[in-house]
Amino acid sequence: MFDAFLFAGLPYAAVLICIVGVIYRFRKLPFGITPRSTQFLEHGKLRWAAAPWHIAIIPILIAHILAFVFPALWQTLLASQVLLVTLEMVGIALGVTACIGIAIMLTRKVIAGRLQAITGFKTITVLSLLFVQVLLGVLTAINHRWGGLWYSSTLAPYLWSMIKLQPDLGYVTALPFIVKMHIVGGFLIILLIPFTRLIHMFAVPYEYLYRLPQRVVWARPQSLAMNSNAVRMIDARRSFIKSAVAMGVGGTLLSFGVADKMVRFFGKPEIEPEEETALLATRLKRLKMTAEEKELELERRSKDYILIARLSELNDKKGKYFIDYEMHPALAFMFADGFPLLISAKCTHLGCTVGSELDANGKILCPCHVSYFDVKTGEPNPGAPAKARLPHLGWVIKDNDNNIVAHQKPGSSPEGSFDRKRADQYRLFIARQYQPESV
């Protein structure tokens, strides 16, 4: 019975009294609709009360209305965890801001002597009720998370059932006590609208949005000076509001990034089990490739000679790539003098692999930062990013009987001889004895 009174009788009575009372006041007492300006009596605390309150409470009310009018669309939007967390964070921040604003407003009415004379019981009651109502909203958001979701699936259907004159209290009777108090507080505020200055919310000066700009010119020097001070104050207030809005927008945009990290940290893993299995398979494949590469490196280090190619496969136009003992790329050429030439293919600038084709000047190109290296000397061209030359590698030539017929140590001349007309019967190797001692 008590729930029926709070969530059926009170809402209907509050809305009916509000509609009738607002119409009556607009028709019979039109000059009492706008609120009394107290800025001339006290303006120091007002700037810290009115602006935060209105900036925070208006988006909160708009969010409540949107979730009530478009519950399906609202739930679709909040299916995104990033948007849900962002809305939660922004909503709590706005609620706290509104609490601070209304608390300063209430304190100002109580402690400012010049305001006490014009502050009545109804004003104190309304401000206290607004403070409690916003505080309940903040506590609801903190203690019962994701209100943006459950609001549209519980309170929105309840309110629509009230509009259809078929109140379904099942949506609200099982809600937590603090949420019930928040609902009752909302209807009490609606009930008090026609009897208090809250009615000024229906007297928003929309014509300010489209009317032509107006400028007030004061004739008296004293008035002109006072007006200048007033203009400066107005400009300062506008700057404050603009700064607050800019900070709010910036904070909202920033919260998207923060919320994304929070969702990823606290939320469930985004990948599906099949994707996780595929990822593990990829990692295992890479580990095997790394292991095979290390085994190959160990095997190469254990050999005295590593085959590069038969001499018949080499020429003086395009080098043949091979991997040396240090697992670095290298090139092998066969020039007209009849001996092979082996040179490192790892650029001495940033380690890129140089090209294998010789240009007309007998140089190979590093395509990363355009350095040309002379294969005979290994020196880069003047002004090239690479400053050090490409080192030459030692080699060994063996016949089909595995006899060494020729060899060359880096920095020295070739030794030995072989029949160049039977190049297909000789094989070219790199030798571990010609590698650095670390190998």
Side-chain angles (χ1 to χ4, degrees), residues 300 306-309 314 319-325 327-333 341-345 393-395 428-430 435:
R300 296 174 72 84
I306 297 177
L307 176 65
I308 297 175
L314 305 179
K320 180 178 177 60
Y321 283 114
F322 66 95
I323 302 299
D324 65 11
Y325 277 93
M327 301 299 288
H328 294 161
L331 288 169
F333 295 90
L341 184 146
L342 274 56
I343 187 170
S344 171
L393 306 179
W395 49 261
L428 179 64
F429 296 82
I430 54 174
Q435 299 302 312

Side-chain angles (χ1 to χ4, degrees), residues 67 77 253 334 357:
L77 292 175
L253 295 176
M334 176 64 81
E357 295 188 10

Side-chain angles (χ1 to χ4, degrees), residues 95-116:
V96 173
T97 304
C99 266
I100 295 173
I102 199 68
I104 296 175
M105 202 177 296
L106 180 60
T107 305
R108 172 176 172 267
K109 293 284 187 180
V110 173
I111 65 175
R114 301 177 67 181
L115 294 179
Q116 290 178 356

Side-chain angles (χ1 to χ4, degrees), residues 80-94 146 246-264:
S80 167
Q81 288 187 329
V82 174
L83 188 58
L84 177 62
V85 174
T86 302
L87 180 69
E88 191 89 355
M89 295 172 63
V90 173
I92 293 176
L94 291 175
W146 321 126
M247 292 176 62
V249 173
T252 302
L253 295 176
L254 182 61
S255 64
F256 276 98
V258 177
D260 178 66
K261 303 298 185 296
M262 292 182 63
V263 170
R264 291 176 183 274

Side-chain angles (χ1 to χ4, degrees), residues 328-357:
H328 294 161
L331 288 169
F333 295 90
M334 176 64 81
F335 288 102
D337 59 3
F339 289 104
L341 184 146
L342 274 56
I343 187 170
S344 171
K346 182 180 180 182
C347 179
T348 55
H349 179 217
L350 293 178
C352 295
T353 300
V354 301
S356 60
E357 295 188 10

Side-chain angles (χ1 to χ4, degrees), residues 137-192:
V138 174
L139 294 176
T140 298
I142 294 175
N143 292 285
H144 306 287
R145 304 294 302 276
W146 321 126
L149 276 180
W150 56 258
Y151 172 87
S152 57
S153 59
T154 55
L155 296 182
Y158 157 69
L159 295 175
W160 278 111
S161 71
M162 297 290 293
I163 293 176
K164 296 176 182 175
L165 302 180
Q166 297 176 346
D168 188 350
L169 305 187
Y171 286 107
V172 293
T173 52
L175 290 176
F177 176 76
I178 191 173
V179 181
K180 289 183 177 180
M181 293 298 295
H182 190 57
I183 298 172
V184 173
F187 286 117
L188 287 178
I189 292 174
I190 293 175
L191 178 64
L192 293 177

